[in-house]
Amino acid sequence: MKTIKDYTNEQLRYGIARCEARLSGILPFGLMRNETMVKEALKEYRNELQKRGQNELDFK
């Protein structure tokens, strides 16, 4: 099973985009059933990018 450390930078970027879309109401929550889970996933994606020396603004 893949962990967040195994994701590519692009997969992390899309993960952030999905979380932001869920929190804004554009996408339904689906498997992430509540806002707390989505916020925690978003934090993990951002932390992993930061560990790699990436800034999510680089992708915009």
Side-chain angles (χ1 to χ4, degrees), residues 29-43:
F29 280 91
L31 293 176
M32 294 182 151
R33 293 192 179 109
N34 64 49
E35 188 175 334
T36 304
M37 289 176 67
V38 175
K39 285 182 179 178
E40 184 60 33
L42 181 58
K43 181 179 168 186

Side-chain angles (χ1 to χ4, degrees), residues 5-51:
K5 293 178 182 179
D6 299 323
Y7 289 3
T8 65
N9 289 351
E10 185 175 354
Q11 288 172 314
L12 291 170
R13 186 185 91 213
Y14 287 125
I16 288 170
R18 283 191 308 273
C19 286
E20 289 174 343
R22 284 184 174 108
L23 291 171
S24 68
I26 295 170
L27 283 176
F29 280 91
L31 293 176
M32 294 182 151
R33 293 192 179 109
N34 64 49
E35 188 175 334
T36 304
M37 289 176 67
V38 175
K39 285 182 179 178
E40 184 60 33
L42 181 58
K43 181 179 168 186
E44 286 181 32
Y45 287 135
R46 287 181 173 154
N47 286 341
E48 183 61 29
L49 278 179
Q50 187 176 25
K51 285 179 191 174

